[in-house]
Short mmCIF file of all heavy atoms in Angstrom, two decimals:
data_model
loop_
_atom_site.label_atom_id
_atom_site.label_comp_id
_atom_site.label_asym_id
_atom_site.label_seq_id
_atom_site.Cartn_x
_atom_site.Cartn_y
_atom_site.Cartn_z
N PRO A 1 -8.56 -29.40 -9.01
CA PRO A 1 -8.15 -30.81 -9.00
C PRO A 1 -9.13 -31.70 -9.76
O PRO A 1 -10.34 -31.46 -9.75
CB PRO A 1 -8.15 -31.16 -7.50
CG PRO A 1 -7.96 -29.85 -6.80
CD PRO A 1 -8.68 -28.85 -7.64
N VAL A 2 -8.59 -32.70 -10.44
CA VAL A 2 -9.43 -33.69 -11.10
C VAL A 2 -9.91 -34.67 -10.04
O VAL A 2 -9.11 -35.33 -9.38
CB VAL A 2 -8.64 -34.44 -12.20
CG1 VAL A 2 -9.46 -35.58 -12.77
CG2 VAL A 2 -8.23 -33.47 -13.30
N VAL A 3 -11.22 -34.74 -9.86
CA VAL A 3 -11.81 -35.55 -8.79
C VAL A 3 -12.81 -36.54 -9.39
O VAL A 3 -13.88 -36.14 -9.86
CB VAL A 3 -12.52 -34.67 -7.75
CG1 VAL A 3 -13.20 -35.54 -6.69
CG2 VAL A 3 -11.55 -33.70 -7.10
N PRO A 4 -12.50 -37.83 -9.39
CA PRO A 4 -13.49 -38.82 -9.82
C PRO A 4 -14.64 -38.87 -8.82
O PRO A 4 -14.45 -38.71 -7.62
CB PRO A 4 -12.69 -40.14 -9.82
CG PRO A 4 -11.25 -39.72 -9.85
CD PRO A 4 -11.20 -38.43 -9.10
N GLU A 5 -15.84 -39.09 -9.33
CA GLU A 5 -17.03 -39.02 -8.50
C GLU A 5 -17.32 -40.27 -7.68
O GLU A 5 -17.91 -40.20 -6.61
CB GLU A 5 -18.26 -38.75 -9.37
CG GLU A 5 -18.31 -37.37 -9.98
CD GLU A 5 -19.58 -37.15 -10.77
OE1 GLU A 5 -20.09 -38.14 -11.34
OE2 GLU A 5 -20.07 -36.02 -10.81
N MET A 6 -16.95 -41.42 -8.19
CA MET A 6 -17.36 -42.67 -7.57
C MET A 6 -16.34 -43.13 -6.55
O MET A 6 -15.18 -43.39 -6.89
CB MET A 6 -17.55 -43.76 -8.64
CG MET A 6 -18.54 -43.37 -9.73
SD MET A 6 -20.19 -42.99 -9.09
CE MET A 6 -20.69 -44.62 -8.55
N GLY A 7 -16.78 -43.18 -5.28
CA GLY A 7 -15.85 -43.58 -4.23
C GLY A 7 -16.59 -44.08 -3.03
O GLY A 7 -17.63 -44.74 -3.14
N SER A 8 -16.10 -43.75 -1.86
CA SER A 8 -16.68 -44.25 -0.62
C SER A 8 -18.06 -43.66 -0.40
O SER A 8 -18.35 -42.53 -0.77
CB SER A 8 -15.77 -43.90 0.55
OG SER A 8 -15.48 -42.52 0.55
N VAL A 9 -18.92 -44.45 0.22
CA VAL A 9 -20.27 -44.02 0.54
C VAL A 9 -20.53 -44.39 1.99
O VAL A 9 -20.32 -45.53 2.39
CB VAL A 9 -21.31 -44.69 -0.37
CG1 VAL A 9 -22.72 -44.28 0.05
CG2 VAL A 9 -21.07 -44.33 -1.83
N GLY A 10 -20.96 -43.44 2.79
CA GLY A 10 -21.34 -43.73 4.17
C GLY A 10 -20.20 -43.62 5.16
O GLY A 10 -20.40 -43.68 6.36
N GLU A 11 -18.98 -43.47 4.69
CA GLU A 11 -17.84 -43.30 5.59
C GLU A 11 -17.17 -41.97 5.28
O GLU A 11 -15.95 -41.86 5.19
CB GLU A 11 -16.82 -44.43 5.38
CG GLU A 11 -17.36 -45.81 5.74
CD GLU A 11 -17.51 -45.98 7.25
OE1 GLU A 11 -16.99 -45.14 7.98
OE2 GLU A 11 -18.15 -46.96 7.67
N ALA A 12 -17.97 -40.93 5.07
CA ALA A 12 -17.53 -39.63 4.59
C ALA A 12 -17.07 -39.78 3.14
O ALA A 12 -17.06 -40.87 2.58
CB ALA A 12 -16.41 -39.05 5.47
N ASP A 13 -16.73 -38.67 2.52
CA ASP A 13 -16.33 -38.69 1.11
C ASP A 13 -14.82 -38.87 0.99
O ASP A 13 -14.12 -38.09 0.34
CB ASP A 13 -16.78 -37.40 0.44
CG ASP A 13 -18.28 -37.17 0.57
OD1 ASP A 13 -19.03 -38.16 0.51
OD2 ASP A 13 -18.70 -36.01 0.74
N LEU A 14 -14.32 -39.89 1.64
CA LEU A 14 -12.87 -40.06 1.80
C LEU A 14 -12.13 -40.11 0.47
O LEU A 14 -11.14 -39.39 0.27
CB LEU A 14 -12.57 -41.34 2.58
CG LEU A 14 -13.17 -41.44 3.98
CD1 LEU A 14 -12.90 -42.83 4.57
CD2 LEU A 14 -12.61 -40.37 4.88
N THR A 15 -12.60 -40.96 -0.43
CA THR A 15 -11.81 -41.19 -1.65
C THR A 15 -11.88 -40.01 -2.61
O THR A 15 -10.88 -39.68 -3.25
CB THR A 15 -12.27 -42.47 -2.36
OG1 THR A 15 -13.66 -42.36 -2.69
CG2 THR A 15 -12.07 -43.68 -1.48
N GLN A 16 -13.05 -39.38 -2.71
CA GLN A 16 -13.13 -38.22 -3.60
C GLN A 16 -12.25 -37.07 -3.08
O GLN A 16 -11.49 -36.46 -3.84
CB GLN A 16 -14.58 -37.73 -3.72
CG GLN A 16 -15.53 -38.74 -4.36
CD GLN A 16 -16.29 -39.54 -3.32
OE1 GLN A 16 -15.77 -39.82 -2.24
NE2 GLN A 16 -17.53 -39.91 -3.64
N LEU A 17 -12.35 -36.80 -1.79
CA LEU A 17 -11.61 -35.68 -1.22
C LEU A 17 -10.10 -35.92 -1.21
O LEU A 17 -9.32 -34.98 -1.24
CB LEU A 17 -12.10 -35.40 0.20
CG LEU A 17 -13.57 -34.98 0.31
CD1 LEU A 17 -13.94 -34.74 1.76
CD2 LEU A 17 -13.84 -33.74 -0.52
N ALA A 18 -9.70 -37.19 -1.19
CA ALA A 18 -8.26 -37.48 -1.21
C ALA A 18 -7.61 -36.97 -2.48
O ALA A 18 -6.43 -36.59 -2.49
CB ALA A 18 -8.04 -38.98 -1.08
N HIS A 19 -8.36 -36.89 -3.58
CA HIS A 19 -7.79 -36.42 -4.84
C HIS A 19 -7.50 -34.91 -4.78
O HIS A 19 -6.60 -34.43 -5.47
CB HIS A 19 -8.74 -36.74 -6.00
CG HIS A 19 -8.76 -38.21 -6.33
ND1 HIS A 19 -7.93 -38.77 -7.26
CD2 HIS A 19 -9.51 -39.23 -5.83
CE1 HIS A 19 -8.16 -40.08 -7.33
NE2 HIS A 19 -9.12 -40.38 -6.46
N ILE A 20 -8.24 -34.19 -3.96
CA ILE A 20 -7.91 -32.77 -3.75
C ILE A 20 -6.63 -32.66 -2.93
O ILE A 20 -5.76 -31.85 -3.23
CB ILE A 20 -9.08 -32.04 -3.05
CG1 ILE A 20 -10.31 -32.06 -3.96
CG2 ILE A 20 -8.68 -30.61 -2.70
CD1 ILE A 20 -11.55 -31.44 -3.33
N GLY A 21 -6.50 -33.51 -1.90
CA GLY A 21 -5.26 -33.54 -1.13
C GLY A 21 -4.08 -33.93 -1.99
O GLY A 21 -2.98 -33.38 -1.85
N LEU A 22 -4.30 -34.86 -2.91
CA LEU A 22 -3.23 -35.29 -3.82
C LEU A 22 -2.73 -34.11 -4.64
O LEU A 22 -1.52 -33.93 -4.83
CB LEU A 22 -3.78 -36.40 -4.73
CG LEU A 22 -2.77 -37.27 -5.46
CD1 LEU A 22 -1.97 -38.12 -4.48
CD2 LEU A 22 -3.50 -38.19 -6.45
N ALA A 23 -3.66 -33.31 -5.13
CA ALA A 23 -3.26 -32.13 -5.91
C ALA A 23 -2.49 -31.12 -5.07
O ALA A 23 -1.54 -30.50 -5.54
CB ALA A 23 -4.50 -31.48 -6.52
N MET A 24 -2.89 -30.97 -3.81
CA MET A 24 -2.22 -30.00 -2.95
C MET A 24 -0.75 -30.34 -2.73
O MET A 24 0.08 -29.45 -2.59
CB MET A 24 -2.93 -29.91 -1.60
CG MET A 24 -4.25 -29.18 -1.64
SD MET A 24 -4.88 -28.90 0.03
CE MET A 24 -6.37 -27.99 -0.33
N ILE A 25 -0.44 -31.64 -2.68
CA ILE A 25 0.96 -32.02 -2.45
C ILE A 25 1.73 -32.15 -3.77
O ILE A 25 2.85 -32.66 -3.78
CB ILE A 25 1.06 -33.33 -1.63
CG1 ILE A 25 0.44 -34.52 -2.39
CG2 ILE A 25 0.41 -33.14 -0.26
CD1 ILE A 25 0.62 -35.84 -1.66
N GLY A 26 1.13 -31.68 -4.86
CA GLY A 26 1.84 -31.64 -6.13
C GLY A 26 1.74 -32.90 -6.95
O GLY A 26 2.53 -33.10 -7.88
N GLU A 27 0.77 -33.75 -6.64
CA GLU A 27 0.60 -34.98 -7.40
C GLU A 27 -0.81 -35.03 -7.98
O GLU A 27 -1.65 -34.20 -7.68
CB GLU A 27 0.90 -36.19 -6.52
CG GLU A 27 2.30 -36.13 -5.92
CD GLU A 27 2.76 -37.43 -5.33
OE1 GLU A 27 2.42 -38.48 -5.91
OE2 GLU A 27 3.45 -37.40 -4.30
N GLY A 28 -1.05 -36.00 -8.84
CA GLY A 28 -2.35 -36.04 -9.50
C GLY A 28 -2.44 -34.97 -10.57
O GLY A 28 -1.45 -34.31 -10.91
N GLU A 29 -3.64 -34.80 -11.10
CA GLU A 29 -3.86 -33.85 -12.18
C GLU A 29 -4.87 -32.79 -11.80
O GLU A 29 -5.71 -33.00 -10.93
CB GLU A 29 -4.35 -34.59 -13.43
CG GLU A 29 -3.32 -35.53 -14.04
CD GLU A 29 -3.83 -36.18 -15.31
OE1 GLU A 29 -5.01 -36.62 -15.32
OE2 GLU A 29 -3.07 -36.24 -16.28
N VAL A 30 -4.79 -31.66 -12.49
CA VAL A 30 -5.72 -30.55 -12.27
C VAL A 30 -6.12 -29.96 -13.61
O VAL A 30 -5.42 -30.15 -14.62
CB VAL A 30 -5.09 -29.44 -11.39
CG1 VAL A 30 -4.68 -29.97 -10.02
CG2 VAL A 30 -3.90 -28.80 -12.09
N ASN A 31 -7.23 -29.25 -13.60
CA ASN A 31 -7.62 -28.44 -14.75
C ASN A 31 -7.22 -27.00 -14.47
O ASN A 31 -7.55 -26.46 -13.41
CB ASN A 31 -9.13 -28.55 -14.99
CG ASN A 31 -9.55 -29.94 -15.42
OD1 ASN A 31 -8.86 -30.58 -16.21
ND2 ASN A 31 -10.67 -30.41 -14.91
N TYR A 32 -6.50 -26.41 -15.42
CA TYR A 32 -5.96 -25.06 -15.20
C TYR A 32 -5.93 -24.31 -16.52
O TYR A 32 -5.26 -24.71 -17.47
CB TYR A 32 -4.56 -25.15 -14.60
CG TYR A 32 -3.89 -23.81 -14.34
CD1 TYR A 32 -4.47 -22.88 -13.49
CD2 TYR A 32 -2.67 -23.50 -14.93
CE1 TYR A 32 -3.85 -21.66 -13.24
CE2 TYR A 32 -2.04 -22.28 -14.68
CZ TYR A 32 -2.64 -21.36 -13.84
OH TYR A 32 -2.04 -20.15 -13.59
N LYS A 33 -6.71 -23.24 -16.58
CA LYS A 33 -6.77 -22.38 -17.77
C LYS A 33 -7.05 -23.16 -19.04
O LYS A 33 -6.43 -22.95 -20.09
CB LYS A 33 -5.47 -21.58 -17.89
CG LYS A 33 -5.27 -20.59 -16.75
CD LYS A 33 -4.08 -19.68 -16.98
CE LYS A 33 -3.98 -18.63 -15.86
NZ LYS A 33 -2.81 -17.72 -16.06
N GLY A 34 -7.99 -24.09 -18.93
CA GLY A 34 -8.42 -24.82 -20.11
C GLY A 34 -7.60 -26.04 -20.45
O GLY A 34 -7.86 -26.71 -21.46
N TYR A 35 -6.60 -26.36 -19.64
CA TYR A 35 -5.74 -27.52 -19.90
C TYR A 35 -5.72 -28.44 -18.69
O TYR A 35 -5.86 -28.00 -17.56
CB TYR A 35 -4.30 -27.07 -20.21
CG TYR A 35 -4.17 -26.26 -21.47
CD1 TYR A 35 -4.22 -24.87 -21.44
CD2 TYR A 35 -4.01 -26.88 -22.71
CE1 TYR A 35 -4.11 -24.11 -22.59
CE2 TYR A 35 -3.89 -26.13 -23.87
CZ TYR A 35 -3.95 -24.75 -23.80
OH TYR A 35 -3.83 -24.00 -24.95
#
């Protein structure tokens, strides 16, 4: 999954980790085999 680094601080890594969840449900972008 494409995960931007800058997000919530001190309240767990909510915003960064949400992008992994986004990929799991078929949304957002990922890097796969060089693309």
Side-chain angles (χ1 to χ4, degrees):
V2 173
V3 177
E5 290 183 328
M6 303 302 291
S8 53
V9 177
E11 296 288 348
D13 303 323
L14 301 175
T15 58
Q16 296 97 327
L17 297 180
H19 288 269
I20 296 176
L22 197 66
M24 286 189 178
I25 63 175
E27 303 194 36
E29 294 183 316
V30 300
N31 293 320
Y32 179 60
K33 295 187 175 180
Y35 295 93

